[in-house]
Amino acid sequence: MTMLATHLDSIVSKLTTSDHASVVALNLFVALLCACIVLGHLLEENRWMNESITALLIGLGTGVAILLISKGKSSHLLVFSEDLFFIYLLPPIIFNAGFQVKKKQFFRNFVTIMLFGAVGTIISCTIISLGVTQFFKKLDIGTFDLGDYLAIGAIFAATDSVCTLQVLNQDETPLLYSLVFGEGVVNDATSVVVFNAIQSFDLTHLNHEAAFHLLGNFLYLFLLSTLLGAATGLISAYVIKKLYFGRHSTDREVALMMLMAYLSYMLAELFELSGILTVFFCGIVMSHYTWHNVTESSRITTKHTFATLSFLAETFIFLYVGMDALDIDKWRSVSDTPGTSIAVSSILMGLIMVGRAAFVFPLSFLSNLAKKNQSEKIKFNMQVVIWWSGLMRGAVSMALAYNKFTRAGHTEVRGNAIMITSTITVCLFSTVVFGMLTKPLISYLLPHQSATTSMLSDDNTPKSIHIPLLDQDSFIEPSGNHNVPRPDSIRGFLTRPTRTVHYYWRQFDDSFMRPVFGGRGFVPFVPGSPTERDPPDLSKA
């Protein structure tokens, strides 16, 4: 009994010590997040810095401090987990992207965005995979098979446009912003879908039939994920419109929207679909229907809640990547051949730049051929910004690399360690160097645009909470031409496809969708509520 009691005491003591260490780590991490927010605000107008770089540098500084305190044993406060990233951090970022997007600009350039985000990512992935196959075989970095090379292509095809989007303005450069933003989201989704397809596909007998099967699997995941996200968003809109939770509690409205958004992501993961695409389109549908069905106080609350969660998740990721860059265990495995590690990182960075250029400029040329209006064409300076914005690598690349080359964030295999350290090096170099040069580059290539371009802003988004939400006419045509003529021929349809599709969508939306699911024009009314005291005049909607 005495021995058993002693054993139990030792277990309790270890658990208590472990819990205490976790509490200390969480306190430090929360304090660091606060420091990132404060310093990011102070450096907001800085020509070279942005919040992503600030969080990354604070993470590096903290990692150095922890290394010194622990005498070179560890640089971590928390252990990296792919589940932490994919289940808790990524969903709020992607959902907020869909929830806040200016839908009119996004869908006006939908074909171009899909060209860049889907086709372009596959082109970039192919070039990187072919490049590493040729170069890595000449370097002594371990044995990689075809699946590893294809996975490396998918890992480094995932872009991180956060730095560029922090500099661009939606109202001043609506076309460029929608292209960079839309391509970034679709790119992340495509990279993850391709990576998962490669992981689950038998590449030992690769032939034309298998390649078509892989492509069909990709399209299947892409379409089904989109439909699941749209369906979840429509269900939330219908439930809130019919039951109208705002009569009883704003908290219920906000909670239901948050839970339905997260449910869409988890359902996609459950059915082995793309959670990124699902939650993104769920955000778009919710902003178009559900958001207009809730009370004014719920609109304000959800708008800021989703933006805050997204901001914290992004900051958390960059902060951790900065600390993980100094993980001594990974670097110890490659310390005997630093030249090889530098060569691998340089090769990857060069392939990223070539792979990016291989689709941005050709696809921009093809996109411009299909556009008659000069204002809708992608000018060369915009193409350079689009190319530049996709050179940075970040959290998605890190998470995929950890998923492929480590177990629980650790690896003892030299080739895997080289790939992890090279991924860290590429992410740090591209984010800090290219990120710092983003503001000067955009200032040089895109001088301040005319304020009249703000007319293209879409009032039908959660970013704008004012009276024009009820003004349908301003949403139909920013130029003031409210009557979009129907095409009288196939040629007429091809010369103005975007306006035509938008015209028919508006007719379908007004006639069938909004009467069932609510949306713009449906404004809840709570008798006696301070924010809803006067019922709106819907006759003007």
Side-chain angles (χ1 to χ4, degrees):
M1 288 294 292
T2 305
M3 292 180 63
L4 179 61
T6 305
H7 183 63
L8 288 174
D9 287 340
S10 65
I11 293 175
V12 171
S13 176
K14 288 180 181 178
L15 288 174
T16 305
T17 304
S18 176
D19 290 343
H20 178 72
S22 298
V23 171
V24 171
L26 286 172
N27 272 280
L28 288 173
F29 219 95
V30 171
L32 289 172
L33 285 173
C34 293
C36 289
I37 293 171
V38 173
L39 288 176
H41 171 73
L42 294 176
L43 297 172
E44 187 175 7
E45 301 301 326
N46 188 277
R47 178 178 174 84
W48 304 100
M49 299 293 290
N50 57 54
E51 288 170 340
S52 302
I53 298 174
T54 302
L56 206 57
L57 294 179
I58 289 176
L60 280 171
T62 306
V64 171
I66 296 173
L67 275 176
L68 294 175
I69 294 171
S70 65
K71 297 181 180 179
K73 293 181 180 179
S74 174
S75 66
H76 290 148
L77 290 174
L78 301 172
V79 178
F80 183 86
S81 167
E82 299 91 49
D83 291 339
L84 172 68
F85 175 76
F86 283 108
I87 296 178
Y88 300 108
L89 298 178
L90 194 59
I93 296 173
I94 302 300
F95 176 80
N96 186 65
F99 193 71
Q100 304 280 15
V101 68
K102 294 194 173 183
K103 295 180 291 298
K104 189 171 185 179
Q105 281 297 322
F106 180 82
F107 286 106
R108 170 173 286 179
N109 302 293
F110 186 75
V111 175
T112 306
I113 287 171
M114 294 304 295
L115 274 176
F116 286 159
V119 179
T121 301
I122 293 174
I123 293 173
S124 178
C125 176
T126 303
I127 290 176
I128 294 172
S129 297
L130 291 174
V132 294
T133 302
Q134 296 299 317
F135 288 110
F136 283 11
K137 288 180 179 179
K138 299 177 182 179
L139 300 173
D140 181 24
I141 60 172
T143 305
F144 291 137
D145 57 23
L146 178 60
D148 294 328
Y149 290 128
L150 291 176
I152 292 171
I155 289 168
F156 289 98
T159 65
D160 192 330
S161 306
V162 173
C163 292
T164 306
L165 290 174
Q166 287 175 352
V167 178
L168 291 176
N169 187 296
Q170 288 198 70
D171 293 327
E172 292 180 357
T173 54
L175 172 61
L176 181 60
Y177 188 95
S178 65
L179 292 177
V180 172
F181 168 79
E183 187 233 334
V185 175
V186 178
N187 166 275
D188 286 345
T190 305
S191 299
V192 174
V193 170
V194 170
F195 180 83
N196 290 334
I198 291 169
Q199 296 292 91
S200 60
F201 202 72
D202 182 14
L203 297 171
T204 56
H205 303 91
L206 191 62
N207 50 38
H208 295 292
E209 184 179 347
F212 280 113
H213 181 65
L214 184 63
L215 179 61
N217 186 42
F218 169 75
L219 294 175
Y220 166 80
L221 290 174
F222 210 92
L223 292 174
L224 236 62
S225 301
T226 302
L227 291 175
L228 177 60
T232 310
L234 290 175
I235 290 171
S236 71
Y238 184 80
V239 170
I240 289 180
K241 179 177 180 291
K242 287 299 180 184
L243 300 182
Y244 186 31
F245 284 64
R247 289 194 185 96
H248 306 285
S249 171
T250 295
D251 297 338
R252 289 191 179 97
E253 286 183 327
V254 177
L256 186 64
M257 288 183 68
M258 293 178 66
L259 291 174
M260 289 293 287
Y262 192 66
L263 178 64
S264 71
Y265 185 87
M266 296 311 297
L267 283 174
E269 294 298 312
L270 177 65
F271 296 122
E272 298 182 345
L273 302 174
S274 171
I276 294 179
L277 269 180
T278 298
V279 79
F280 175 69
F281 280 97
C282 179
I284 289 179
V285 172
M286 275 194 174
S287 71
H288 188 68
Y289 296 108
T290 314
W291 189 73
H292 294 279
N293 294 345
V294 300
T295 56
E296 186 74 13
S297 58
S298 295
R299 294 180 192 177
I300 297 172
T301 303
T302 52
K303 173 173 115 45
H304 292 293
T305 299
F306 294 141
T308 301
L309 290 174
S310 173
F311 171 73
L312 285 175
E314 286 181 2
T315 307
F316 183 98
I317 290 169
F318 279 104
L319 184 62
Y320 187 87
V321 168
M323 282 190 291
D324 194 66
L326 297 172
D327 183 10
I328 201 69
D329 292 332
K330 300 184 185 71
W331 291 103
R332 188 179 288 118
S333 301
V334 300
S335 59
D336 57 332
T337 53
T340 301
S341 185
I342 294 172
V344 170
S345 302
S346 302
I347 289 169
L348 288 171
M349 200 67 248
L351 290 173
I352 287 170
M353 298 177 77
V354 173
R356 183 80 183 162
F359 77 83
V360 169
F361 299 105
L363 293 183
S364 296
F365 175 76
L366 292 176
S367 177
N368 288 340
L369 289 179
K371 295 178 180 178
K372 302 298 181 182
N373 192 340
Q374 287 294 327
S375 64
E376 294 180 352
K377 291 188 176 183
I378 308 171
K379 299 178 179 63
F380 182 74
N381 57 349
M382 290 185 178
Q383 295 176 30
V384 174
V385 173
I386 293 171
W387 171 75
W388 183 271
S389 69
L391 294 179
M392 286 165 274
R393 295 298 178 265
V396 175
S397 293
M398 287 286 295
L400 294 179
Y402 271 86
N403 184 279
K404 177 65 180 176
F405 296 109
T406 71
R407 289 185 178 180
H410 300 284
T411 180
E412 295 180 358
V413 180
R414 181 173 174 273
N416 291 353
I418 288 177
M419 287 312 307
I420 293 294
T421 54
S422 298
T423 304
I424 292 171
T425 303
V426 169
C427 289
L428 283 174
F429 179 84
S430 61
T431 302
V432 174
V433 176
F434 294 153
M436 281 185 172
L437 295 174
T438 296
K439 281 185 182 180
L441 178 72
I442 292 178
S443 299
Y444 176 75
L445 293 175
L446 301 170
H448 187 67
Q449 302 292 311
S450 172
T452 56
T453 56
S454 63
M455 293 171 60
L456 290 172
S457 63
D458 180 3
D459 289 324
N460 189 37
T461 70
K463 284 194 172 182
S464 304
I465 306 180
H466 45 69
I467 299 300
L469 283 169
L470 302 179
D471 184 4
Q472 296 181 36
D473 293 337
S474 65
F475 177 68
I476 294 176
E477 273 301 315
S479 62
N481 180 18
H482 307 322
N483 299 316
V484 180
R486 298 190 183 194
D488 51 7
S489 65
I490 295 296
R491 183 177 182 180
F493 179 85
L494 293 175
T495 55
R496 50 178 187 273
T498 305
R499 292 187 178 183
T500 304
V501 171
H502 179 252
Y503 170 81
Y504 283 118
W505 161 248
R506 291 297 305 149
Q507 296 298 310
F508 175 75
D509 193 30
D510 292 339
S511 302
F512 299 101
M513 299 297 287
R514 290 202 300 117
V516 177
F517 298 104
R520 190 184 63 259
F522 175 80
V523 182
F525 170 59
V526 182
S529 170
T531 58
E532 307 285 346
R533 194 171 299 280
D534 297 322
D537 183 6
L538 296 181
S539 63
K540 297 180 181 180

